[in-house]
Amino acid sequence: GAVVSQHPSWVICKSGTSVKIECRSLDFQATTMFWYRQFPKQSLMLMATSNEGSKATYEQGVEKDKFLINHASLTLSTLTVTSAHPEDSSFYICSAKDRDSGNTIYFGEGSWLTVV
Amino acid sequence: LAKITQPISMDSYEGQEVNITCSHNNIATNDYITWYQQFPSQGPRFIIQGYKTKVTNEVASLFIPADRKSSTLSLPRVSLSDTAVYYCLVGDAGRRALTFGSGTRLQVQP
């Protein structure tokens, strides 16, 4: 099946610094990638949708200047958490829509962010 | 966006068939129904997707009635390793409109 890879799997950063999470589709081209946030024992919350070569679309309540999303190629999207604070600590998951397989989206392994 | 409801949790025993139902009363014409399995600290894993009627693959079956306002994921002969959270996702990935259910925590006992 289609593989989506995230890096890093976990990261610890100091409050006030920025951290970047990468999402790659390894064996397919993804015109659309989605970024989710998940708190413990809760469902996934869509943060934003990124389309290759265009600006990301953010969900209501998600600060676009804080969560910078770049989708520069058909296989890579990045999420940068800027000026991170402890409340940004969470599990971040990306997913990608296979350009050639209709409506199926595949998820990455997730990235744990801890801000201290 | 479709409003999704799923049971919060379910218990089963090894070898039994488990059916998890998802309600999506205001599903749109272009929406697909997809089920995912998630283990702790991992991303969701694709199980099955359907639009209407019945879909079956090597791990599960998905039943969707004619009105498409609900769907049922059927896991045959579950094992301990099937203990996980199962999410119903409804939407049209091409239009960005995707809604996750709250997830059903399945606990399989020996």
Side-chain angles (χ1 to χ4, degrees):
Chain A
V3 178
V4 177
S5 178
Q6 275 184 247
H7 179 79
S9 301
W10 58 270
V11 57
I12 301 173
C13 70
K14 290 185 177 180
S15 187
T17 62
S18 296
V19 61
K20 180 186 287 187
I21 301 171
E22 293 186 347
C23 177
R24 294 180 185 273
S25 56
L26 298 185
D27 52 0
F28 65 97
Q29 293 187 320
T31 49
T32 305
M33 288 185 170
F34 306 87
W35 285 94
Y36 292 84
R37 185 174 181 175
Q38 187 177 34
F39 292 106
K41 297 190 176 182
Q42 293 188 23
S43 185
L44 286 78
M45 293 172 46
L46 180 65
M47 298 175 65
T49 302
S50 70
N51 293 295
E52 186 264 338
S54 64
K55 289 184 178 180
T57 303
Y58 291 81
E59 296 300 304
Q60 191 173 11
V62 178
E63 299 176 57
K64 63 179 181 180
D65 294 329
K66 180 167 186 62
F67 298 100
L68 301 179
I69 291 172
N70 183 274
H71 191 165
S73 77
L74 285 173
T75 59
L76 174 64
S77 176
T78 60
L79 167 68
T80 302
V81 183
T82 63
S83 187
H85 291 285
E87 57 265 30
D88 298 324
S89 299
S90 187
F91 192 49
Y92 292 88
I93 310 171
C94 75
S95 66
K97 175 182 177 297
D98 186 340
R99 181 185 63 177
D100 300 322
S101 76
N103 236 279
T104 306
I105 63 173
Y106 299 94
F107 286 82
E109 313 97 321
S111 299
W112 273 108
L113 170 63
T114 301
V115 184
V116 297
Chain B
L1 296 178
K3 186 178 187 306
I4 316 293
T5 56
Q6 301 176 232
I8 293 175
S9 63
M10 295 183 70
D11 292 311
S12 183
Y13 291 94
E14 281 191 292
Q16 290 190 332
E17 177 184 80
V18 171
N19 296 309
I20 306 174
T21 298
C22 179
S23 173
H24 28 81
N25 288 328
N26 56 338
I27 188 170
T29 302
N30 294 327
D31 288 347
Y32 280 73
I33 300 154
T34 314
W35 284 82
Y36 293 86
Q37 176 193 55
Q38 187 181 32
F39 297 110
S41 298
Q42 294 185 25
R45 183 177 73 96
F46 173 85
I47 300 174
I48 196 166
Q49 183 182 75
Y51 182 80
K52 61 180 179 181
T53 62
K54 177 184 176 182
V55 180
T56 298
N57 62 21
E58 62 276 8
V59 298
S61 294
L62 178 60
F63 299 91
I64 305 170
D67 65 7
R68 304 202 326 122
K69 293 185 177 182
S70 66
S71 59
T72 299
L73 172 72
S74 181
L75 305 172
R77 297 179 300 282
V78 294
S79 63
L80 295 177
S81 62
D82 293 319
T83 294
V85 179
Y86 291 83
Y87 288 98
C88 169
L89 178 65
V90 177
D92 176 3
R95 292 190 300 118
R96 184 180 70 85
L98 298 167
T99 306
F100 266 100
S102 54
T104 299
R105 193 171 299 272
L106 173 65
Q107 180 70 48
V108 180
Q109 312 256 9

